[in-house]
Amino acid sequence: GYSGKGGDYGLAAYGEYFYRIGKMEIDSITKYSMHNPSKPIYTYRTIDNPDDSSSNPHDLIFVDENKAYLIQFALDHLWVVNPSATKQKDFKQKTIELSEFADADGFPDMYTGTIVDGKLYLVLQRLNQNYNFRPGDASAMVVVIDTTSDEVIDHIELETANPQAIAYLDGFGLY
């Protein structure tokens, strides 16, 4: 959980690498090799310029070693990134606009996602930051993005508030 600046981290992994996600007010992704886990390969910022407020990155969902989606709670657009980039300037490839899915506070509150059959299923909590991050009038939803074109192709409103996870179980579907 969050314990102030410097204490809110998450993890993601792909292949022989793992990524430490510095969340609220840390705003960074640090890549490590499983073969040398004490030596960072890189640390990249997840905000465009130092004067921006925290983007609060939450998850990194991989298409492959050269393409992933950086899910950031406090942005209205999703970053498409190259996790194999050797320079900060090559990390962020483009963005996918999600402002149409924002709630009253202006953010869709991206939380996590999963990729199934070439589609990213992106969980939007849609919590109202103006009311201490409680569910507001907007229901939570899942936005579906084609991982080839990076286009939003569908969205599904959920009958639950504050979803924390999404998973695909072969033979059963998405949960």
Side-chain angles (χ1 to χ4, degrees), residues 11-19 31-39 41:
L11 270 171
Y14 187 84
E16 64 182 73
Y17 301 101
F18 67 95
Y19 302 78
K31 181 179 181 178
Y32 297 87
S33 170
M34 303 275 189
H35 303 292
N36 191 0
S38 63
K39 183 178 180 196
I41 295 169

Side-chain angles (χ1 to χ4, degrees), residues 13-151:
Y14 187 84
E16 64 182 73
Y17 301 101
F18 67 95
Y19 302 78
R20 186 180 66 187
I21 302 167
K23 295 182 180 184
M24 185 67 172
E25 297 179 359
I26 303 166
D27 302 306
S28 67
I29 299 291
T30 303
K31 181 179 181 178
Y32 297 87
S33 170
M34 303 275 189
H35 303 292
N36 191 0
S38 63
K39 183 178 180 196
I41 295 169
Y42 64 65
T43 298
Y44 294 152
R45 302 288 298 151
T46 62
I47 54 177
D48 286 319
N49 52 79
D51 295 332
D52 290 347
S53 56
S54 180
S55 64
N56 198 357
H58 268 57
D59 209 346
L60 193 59
I61 308 297
F62 295 84
V63 175
D64 58 37
E65 65 274 0
N66 296 309
K67 183 178 182 180
Y69 296 98
L70 180 58
I71 296 168
Q72 301 186 79
F73 194 79
L75 292 181
D76 64 1
H77 53 279
L78 176 65
W79 281 23
V80 181
V81 300
N82 178 356
S84 295
T86 58
K87 297 178 182 159
Q88 170 82 49
K89 70 180 184 66
D90 299 326
F91 181 65
K92 178 180 164 189
Q93 300 288 297
K94 63 180 172 177
T95 62
I96 300 170
E97 185 61 43
L98 297 173
S99 60
E100 70 181 284
F101 303 109
D103 62 4
D105 65 17
F107 299 106
D109 306 322
M110 293 174 267
Y111 195 78
T112 191
T114 191
I115 294 176
V116 179
D117 295 331
K119 295 178 186 83
L120 169 65
Y121 293 85
L122 177 64
V123 173
L124 307 181
Q125 290 183 330
R126 299 175 82 201
L127 302 176
N128 194 325
Q129 295 179 34
N130 299 324
Y131 297 103
N132 203 21
F133 296 98
R134 292 196 172 108
D137 294 334
S139 60
M141 67 172 43
V142 172
V143 171
V144 184
I145 297 171
D146 181 289
T147 60
T148 301
S149 67
D150 294 323
E151 304 267 332

